[in-house]
Amino acid sequence: MSNVGFSSLFWSTHILINRFHPSLVVAHKIRHRFKSSFEIQEDQREYNRKEKEVAESINGCPASPGLFLSSSSSSHHKVRAVLRIPADLGRLGVSLPRLPQIAKRQEGRISLGELDKIDADSSRSPAPAMADELVLSKMYAVLEAIADRAEMHAIIGEQRNNWNHLFTSSVNSITLAASLMAGVASISSAGDPLAFKLSSAILFAAAAGIMMITSKIQPSQLAEEQRNATRLWRQLGRSIETSLGHRFPTDRDVSEAVEKMLALDKAYPLPLVPGMLEKFPTVVEPTRWWPKIQPKRSRAAHASNGWSKELEEEMKGALRVLRVKDEDEYIKLSNLALNVNKALATAGPLLAGAAAMSSALIGSPALGPLPAFVSVVGGVLAATVNTLEHGGQVGMVFELFRNCAGFYRRLQKEIESNLEEEEADRRENGEVFEMKIALQLGRSVSELRELAAYASPSCEDAEDIKECAGKLF
């Protein structure tokens, strides 16, 4: 190659590099300005991989699609550089605001002047990006509070479960020791029984007082409340994380999350006094831990939004079975457990108190062996009742039944909120909603459809409904 030809090639290459260099700088500035969208949507490893693909595409690597430059020369050796936007840019995860509109006008080509204009406009109006980051920051603050609440309830639940075990074993030990001392005091050959009588009376009185306190606060029921609260807080956190993985949050999402948090705080309070839930309510109601339920609107591809007349009948049948059979059954079981717990909570302190008074009368000539008999037998019965109440965790069983009734009440509210919406496109997607209800009831979709037969007005009484909607518990 001659020197002239080599020199021409060198200077042509130099001109092309100088012309292309500003476009590369502008493209880099645009990508760097909107870097926060990468960090939100992808983790660091995915981000690095995609950034490498974009960099290779910008450098003109034919192995992966991306951004590349094309040039054309005229007779005056004027070089014009453009930036070509490939069709599969979205696969790389690159998001450049306002570029699609300009690309449409230029049929896939963007001039350097337009890139400068885009960069200037984006620097003057960062409000949308800032607004998205503000909402996202609020949602992350809500997530942090939810994680903290879940941890607090888990710790307190473990503590109150320990209370139940410690109180049960301590009261039983005290009661049986007092019964033994009462028996020793009744033996005439034991000498002066005053010390045994006094010790027995004190221990029985202490056991009666502790039984009254534990029957009032019901440690096993407190522990079950905190266990259920921990599960619900973690469930709420997972649902928010899942939604963040699909789309950016809105102000409405933040408000709904805060409302759910406040409803959970009200349903399962952390403090013991004041604010403790009533352990022996006059009327048993299902536990409510949710705010007013709004249908989750989805982008409907069709006007029906997955809903049909058959699906509506299916949901009406499931709603009727839930109300008449499932919820009613667990309310009855809750009342039964409550009545048993009331009887045991009353009998334990009474038996220990009677044993305490009788132990003080041991050795009385007028009463004979009766005080010793009442003290020993009453103490043994008090320990038995305490074991049944707190060792058997009857309070926990009551709370479990009440929470199950609340679970079915919540499903009813979800179904009602969707059926009350007359326009199908304002409801949650029908197919997704049907599968979600079926899974929560422990059924398959085909088994859930069998409940459509109970949508008939003739199936009003519980006798007409032969099965429960829920098969999970």
Side-chain angles (χ1 to χ4, degrees):
M1 178 182 293
S2 64
N3 293 334
V4 176
F6 181 81
S7 177
S8 300
L9 178 61
F10 173 80
W11 286 108
S12 298
T13 305
H14 180 68
I15 291 172
L16 286 175
I17 292 176
N18 289 336
R19 290 292 185 178
F20 289 162
H21 179 68
S23 65
L24 295 176
V25 172
V26 174
H28 174 72
K29 288 171 64 179
I30 293 176
R31 180 173 58 82
H32 179 73
R33 180 173 298 280
F34 297 95
K35 186 176 66 174
S36 61
S37 64
F38 290 99
E39 296 174 346
I40 295 171
Q41 295 176 2
E42 304 290 339
D43 58 12
Q44 190 63 34
R45 182 179 300 175
E46 188 73 12
Y47 168 78
N48 292 335
R49 182 182 66 81
K50 292 187 176 181
E51 187 181 33
K52 184 177 179 181
E53 292 182 8
V54 174
E56 291 175 353
S57 300
I58 292 176
N59 292 330
C61 179
S64 62
L67 301 174
F68 62 92
L69 298 173
S70 64
S71 64
S72 62
S73 62
S74 64
S75 61
H76 297 84
H77 302 287
K78 180 180 180 181
V79 180
R80 181 180 60 189
V82 297
L83 181 66
R84 185 182 299 274
I85 306 298
D88 57 347
L89 184 63
R91 185 180 63 83
L92 300 177
V94 181
S95 176
L96 297 179
R98 300 184 58 189
L99 290 184
Q101 290 82 359
I102 301 175
K104 183 178 181 181
R105 294 199 306 267
Q106 297 293 334
E107 297 182 355
R109 294 175 177 269
I110 302 173
S111 65
L112 293 177
E114 289 175 325
L115 281 175
D116 293 332
K117 184 176 182 298
I118 293 169
D119 183 63
D121 292 343
S122 61
S123 62
R124 287 196 300 267
S125 58
M130 291 179 62
D132 291 342
E133 290 182 1
L134 179 60
V135 175
L136 191 63
S137 299
K138 291 181 180 179
M139 187 59 80
Y140 280 136
V142 171
L143 274 176
E144 289 178 3
I146 289 174
D148 185 59
R149 291 283 209 291
E151 187 68 20
M152 292 168 66
H153 281 281
I155 294 172
I156 293 177
E158 184 66 25
Q159 175 204 36
R160 292 175 181 177
N161 189 49
N162 291 336
W163 279 3
N164 184 59
H165 295 301
L166 294 173
F167 278 132
T168 302
S169 59
S170 299
V171 169
N172 288 345
S173 300
I174 292 172
T175 306
L176 294 176
S179 299
L180 180 61
M181 289 183 180
V184 172
S186 64
I187 300 175
S188 57
S189 61
D192 188 7
L194 180 59
F196 291 102
K197 289 167 53 177
L198 185 59
S199 299
S200 177
I202 292 174
L203 288 177
F204 275 130
I210 297 175
M211 283 183 183
M212 290 180 64
I213 295 174
T214 54
S215 297
K216 177 66 177 177
I217 65 175
Q218 293 292 316
S220 65
Q221 187 172 344
L222 291 173
E224 177 61 23
E225 291 172 5
Q226 301 307 314
R227 282 192 291 265
N228 198 50
T230 302
R231 180 184 66 84
L232 293 173
W233 279 109
R234 289 173 178 169
Q235 184 185 69
L236 177 59
R238 287 193 301 269
S239 66
I240 294 177
E241 290 173 357
T242 302
S243 65
L244 287 178
H246 288 83
R247 59 181 176 83
F248 282 96
T250 62
D251 289 328
R252 180 182 177 185
D253 295 329
V254 175
S255 301
E256 290 180 353
V258 172
E259 289 179 0
K260 291 178 181 179
M261 287 184 62
L262 296 177
L264 271 174
D265 282 333
K266 183 179 180 181
Y268 299 102
L270 281 168
L272 188 63
V273 177
M276 182 179 65
L277 296 178
E278 178 61 40
K279 297 300 179 286
F280 300 99
T282 305
V283 179
V284 177
E285 291 288 341
T287 306
R288 180 186 177 91
W289 62 83
W290 61 92
K292 183 179 179 181
I293 296 178
Q294 299 290 343
K296 296 180 180 179
R297 301 179 184 178
S298 57
R299 295 181 180 179
H302 305 284
S304 62
N305 195 20
W307 287 85
S308 62
K309 187 66 176 178
E310 293 77 13
L311 180 57
E312 290 185 358
E313 291 297 316
E314 174 187 336
M315 290 297 121
K316 289 178 182 178
L319 179 62
R320 179 164 296 169
V321 176
L322 285 170
R323 181 183 297 116
V324 175
K325 201 75 175 177
D326 296 76
E327 181 184 335
D328 185 67
E329 179 180 353
Y330 277 101
I331 290 295
K332 291 178 180 177
L333 291 173
S334 299
N335 281 310
L336 176 61
L338 179 63
N339 293 332
V340 172
N341 199 26
K342 281 182 179 179
L344 294 174
T346 305
L350 287 179
L351 289 170
M357 290 186 294
S358 299
S359 62
L361 299 176
I362 291 176
S364 175
L367 298 176
L370 182 61
F373 177 81
V374 173
S375 297
V376 175
V377 175
V380 172
L381 290 176
T384 303
V385 169
N386 182 70
T387 302
L388 290 175
E389 180 185 5
H390 300 291
Q393 302 189 21
V394 183
M396 181 275 293
V397 174
F398 164 70
E399 185 65 25
L400 180 64
F401 288 151
R402 187 164 62 172
N403 287 330
C404 290
F407 172 78
Y408 289 123
R409 174 70 64 86
R410 185 176 182 276
L411 289 183
Q412 295 176 42
K413 295 299 181 182
E414 286 189 10
I415 297 174
E416 289 175 352
S417 65
N418 278 274
L419 293 179
E420 287 173 357
E421 287 287 349
E422 296 181 357
E423 299 179 7
D425 57 347
R426 297 175 62 89
R427 302 175 180 173
E428 187 175 353
N429 182 272
E431 296 180 5
V432 176
F433 185 70
E434 180 185 29
M435 184 180 68
K436 183 175 71 173
I437 295 296
L439 293 176
Q440 290 183 351
L441 292 176
R443 290 172 171 261
S444 64
V445 175
S446 59
E447 290 175 336
L448 181 63
R449 290 171 181 169
E450 297 174 358
L451 300 179
Y454 298 112
S456 174
S458 59
C459 300
E460 289 288 348
D461 299 330
E463 291 78 10
D464 299 329
I465 301 175
K466 305 300 182 183
E467 62 177 333
C468 293
K471 291 187 175 182
L472 192 59
F473 43 79

